[in-house]
Amino acid sequence: TWFAGERWAGVQGHVAYYQTYMSDLIQWANPGGFQFKSLNVGQAQMKGIEGSLATHTGWGTRLDWQGAMRSAIDSGTGLALPGRPDVEQRVKIEQAVGVCLVNLSYVYESGTAFASGSSTAILDRSIWNASAQAALGDRAQVYGNVSNVFDASQQDMFGFPLPGRTFLFGLKITYE
């Protein structure tokens, strides 16, 4: 594993490469029809590269990016192991507006098959989220969040959908 990072005025970033060897690995798969079975992979190797970049502007804006590319290989067969996204991207923009803080975030994960030769797969997914918070004096804060803004039909596991558009609003009061 190696890691490199740097920080400049208002900008910071990192990049990391990793390689991991695993033994006695058992992976669960769904070949279709909700029939989950275990795959005794045995020896496997996972490797990947990931990075991030964050910056602040003079206008109260913060921009964060995170990305990763990874693969898992069965050491016995040399075939790629299913079940993990190979590419992942996350972007977050945060803007201060007076006493308010507004966030917009985007998440992308590549799709994956559950088992080699399986027709069952999770498709690529993209999710947008938005949130805002504002101070109400010294001890109170109002906040709101909308997850999955565009109500995209997504699933983490085949047959188990993620929630659609979700709203969360609240008031936080601090007592000392």
Side-chain angles (χ1 to χ4, degrees):
T1 299
W2 59 261
F3 173 85
E6 189 61 45
R7 186 178 196 138
W8 303 280
V11 178
Q12 63 186 29
H14 92 276
V15 63
Y17 170 81
Y18 59 89
Q19 189 166 339
T20 305
Y21 296 94
M22 298 166 274
S23 60
D24 300 325
L25 177 67
I26 296 175
Q27 184 169 353
W28 290 92
N30 178 354
F34 298 101
Q35 300 171 348
F36 290 91
K37 67 176 187 174
S38 63
L39 301 172
N40 188 0
V41 175
Q43 304 292 325
Q45 168 186 326
M46 180 176 280
K47 60 184 175 179
I49 188 166
E50 61 183 45
S52 71
L53 187 62
T55 183
H56 295 271
T57 70
W59 307 290
T61 304
R62 177 181 167 100
L63 175 63
D64 292 323
W65 170 85
Q66 297 174 344
M69 292 176 24
R70 63 178 90 69
S71 66
I73 307 295
D74 182 331
S75 298
T77 64
L79 298 175
L81 292 175
R84 287 199 55 121
D86 297 323
V87 177
E88 186 176 333
Q89 303 266 346
R90 296 178 183 274
V91 177
K92 180 179 176 183
I93 300 171
E94 188 175 272
Q95 176 67 51
V97 181
V99 295
C100 296
L101 188 61
V102 179
N103 292 291
L104 180 64
S105 66
Y106 171 75
V107 176
Y108 167 81
E109 292 179 350
S110 63
T112 183
F114 277 106
S116 300
S118 169
S119 61
T120 305
I122 293 178
L123 301 176
D124 292 358
R125 69 181 188 184
S126 298
I127 299 176
W128 287 89
N129 302 306
S131 66
Q133 60 189 31
L136 300 175
D138 293 339
R139 297 180 184 234
Q141 181 182 61
V142 63
Y143 59 90
N145 183 23
V146 181
S147 298
N148 195 358
V149 172
F150 297 110
D151 202 21
S153 177
Q154 315 274 339
Q155 52 187 332
D156 265 343
M157 292 179 52
F158 181 74
F160 296 92
L162 292 173
R165 185 179 305 116
T166 306
F167 299 92
L168 171 70
F169 297 96
L171 176 65
K172 179 180 176 181
I173 300 174
T174 306
Y175 294 99
E176 294 180 16

